Amino acid sequence: MKVVALALVSTVVLCSFAGCGDDSTAAASGGGGSGEGGKGSSGEGGKGGSDVSAWEEYCDASVAREEMCDPDNPPSPTLADCVGAKACFDSVFREEAREPLMACLSSRPCDKNDDLCYTEVGADLGTIPEQEEYLSGCNAKLDECPDLSNDWCTQGDVPWPLFEASLYAELSACFSESCDMVSACLDNAVQARGADCGGELGL
């Protein structure tokens, strides 16, 4: 997901959610073929093998899709960066979101924006108490702080419906900050989850 619209989220985090430049592949015409390859690699592999094997297969499929859809540019993230980012990916996204998100991102046609994967997977997930508490606090803070980006509270450029429970708790704590500090607090909470992976989440 190119989380590009957020002034409050740094470039590192923007790239984390989608491998910056990923949506530039939309002009390619062969997306359907990549979709089938990605589905077999990430979805099916995840069922039969270990988490690590499923992740490696996802990365293989994701890189293959990028190379097919945008052959003039190197894949972003690279295969090595993607493989090394599993722990950070797991620390951001809740368990039930991971496999369908991996499958969608790696199998989508070249002309399908990656934002749609986050929206579709988020719509299929049920809410958890931490998410509901986060959303309530976010909307209250948005009323208090008109300069706060509403992407933190809506299905905009922050894929918050997919977050892991403890991340919701960290983000919710930010709503006790003043209006001029809340954005940096939210930004830092997400960035910290990718710090050990150089800002990459394998996406």
Side-chain angles (χ1 to χ4, degrees):
M1 169 183 242
K2 271 192 177 176
V3 200
V4 289
L6 289 181
L8 52 101
V9 178
S10 72
T11 302
V12 170
V13 175
L14 307 189
C15 294
S16 322
F17 283 127
C20 288
D22 188 64
D23 290 334
S24 66
T25 63
S29 61
S34 136
E36 297 193 7
K39 196 175 294 180
S41 296
S42 62
E44 309 258 332
K47 293 176 185 174
S50 69
D51 286 346
V52 173
S53 296
W55 181 259
E56 291 174 347
E57 291 175 0
Y58 157 71
C59 289
D60 285 339
S62 181
V63 168
R65 178 195 172 278
E66 287 250 325
E67 289 175 341
M68 184 194 71
C69 292
D70 193 13
D72 295 330
N73 292 295
S76 175
T78 64
L79 181 59
D81 285 339
C82 179
V83 169
K86 183 180 186 301
C88 292
F89 179 90
D90 290 352
S91 75
V92 169
F93 299 108
R94 73 180 82 166
E95 185 175 0
E96 61 268 34
R98 295 170 198 164
E99 186 174 342
L101 183 56
M102 287 160 53
C104 183
L105 289 169
S106 62
S107 69
R108 62 195 168 94
C110 295
D111 60 354
K112 179 176 179 176
N113 190 296
D114 51 4
D115 290 357
L116 293 175
C117 288
Y118 293 86
T119 301
E120 291 167 5
V121 174
D124 289 339
L125 290 181
T127 60
I128 58 176
E130 293 86 353
Q131 178 180 344
E132 294 172 355
E133 179 181 351
Y134 163 81
L135 184 57
S136 175
C138 191
N139 284 322
K141 199 67 178 180
L142 191 61
D143 289 340
E144 177 187 344
C145 307
D147 291 335
L148 176 64
S149 170
N150 66 3
D151 283 330
W152 286 106
C153 310
T154 65
Q155 182 66 48
D157 286 329
V158 178
W160 60 263
L162 311 180
F163 284 164
E164 195 270 334
S166 65
L167 179 52
Y168 284 125
E170 292 174 18
L171 293 170
S172 293
C174 291
F175 300 133
S176 63
E177 298 284 350
S178 62
C179 289
D180 60 342
M181 295 296 294
V182 62
S183 292
C185 181
L186 293 166
D187 182 13
N188 290 338
V190 177
Q191 282 193 59
R193 296 297 179 113
D196 291 339
C197 303
E200 289 286 356
L201 297 177
L203 306 179

